[in-house]
Amino acid sequence: MNKFKIIKSMLMNLPVSLTMSFVAQWINIRHGHMPHFDWGSMAVSFCFSYFIAFLIAFFIPADQWGFALAEKCNAKRGTWAFDILVNLVVNTVFCVIMTAVMHTFTACVLGGLPLSTLPSGFAEMIGPVWISCFIVSLLTQRPAMNLAKRLCGMKN
């Protein structure tokens, strides 16, 4: 396995999975699906989402698709424009899959709701989750990449 890819995936998905778990719980409270914030529920959601996020990052080449888009738009590496374009693709892939998987896990598997709730649950979550994860991943992607490179003995 590629050590850099593993470390990069772990570092980049940590803040995004935490954000997604927090935002999803906040939305569930706001919509009356939960009575109050629950640290245990947050921990279960975070652990599961972190694992799934790692699998997404490791097996789906969303970052390569994002690089291709940024290069097609003539954005220069190391600029905010490049980071935003890459993040648009990566965050969209991540959030679409994660929102569907997390609803299925938390509401259907843990909560006993039928799979027929997936479309409405997805629609309720995708906007706030996408926006919050986009902001967090945009702000953390450069530091996470730099730290991953340092930990793997690579030049920045």
Side-chain angles (χ1 to χ4, degrees):
M1 283 198 207
N2 183 330
K3 180 182 173 183
F4 174 72
K5 191 171 185 176
I6 291 169
I7 292 173
K8 176 188 80 160
S9 296
M10 291 176 73
L11 291 173
M12 292 182 82
N13 288 323
L14 183 70
V16 177
S17 292
L18 188 60
T19 300
M20 179 175 226
S21 298
F22 179 80
V23 169
Q25 192 163 140
W26 174 75
I27 292 168
N28 281 325
I29 293 167
R30 197 172 132 241
H31 287 280
H33 304 308
M34 293 179 75
H36 55 79
F37 186 83
D38 182 333
W39 284 104
S41 176
M42 171 93 170
V44 169
S45 177
F46 168 73
C47 290
F48 186 72
S49 71
Y50 190 52
F51 173 72
I52 298 300
F54 175 80
L55 294 177
I56 292 168
F58 200 79
F59 292 109
I60 299 176
D63 53 347
Q64 294 171 1
W65 301 336
F67 292 145
L69 174 66
E71 289 168 359
K72 187 173 183 161
C73 294
N74 295 317
K76 303 283 185 223
R77 284 188 185 257
T79 65
W80 281 104
F82 188 89
D83 292 350
I84 288 168
L85 289 167
V86 170
N87 198 29
L88 281 171
V89 174
V90 173
N91 190 62
T92 300
V93 169
F94 172 84
C95 285
V96 166
I97 295 170
M98 287 299 295
T99 300
V101 169
M102 290 306 295
H103 176 78
T104 302
F105 176 70
T106 57
C108 301
V109 174
L110 297 180
L113 294 176
L115 278 176
S116 61
T117 63
L118 182 57
S120 62
F122 182 87
E124 192 173 80
M125 293 285 177
I126 192 65
V129 164
W130 189 91
I131 291 167
S132 59
C133 288
F134 180 82
I135 293 166
V136 169
S137 61
L138 185 62
L139 296 175
T140 60
Q141 77 184 35
R142 280 189 199 178
M145 287 288 289
N146 291 337
L147 181 56
K149 287 178 181 177
R150 271 192 312 220
L151 292 172
C152 292
M154 300 167 68
K155 290 185 178 183
N156 281 338

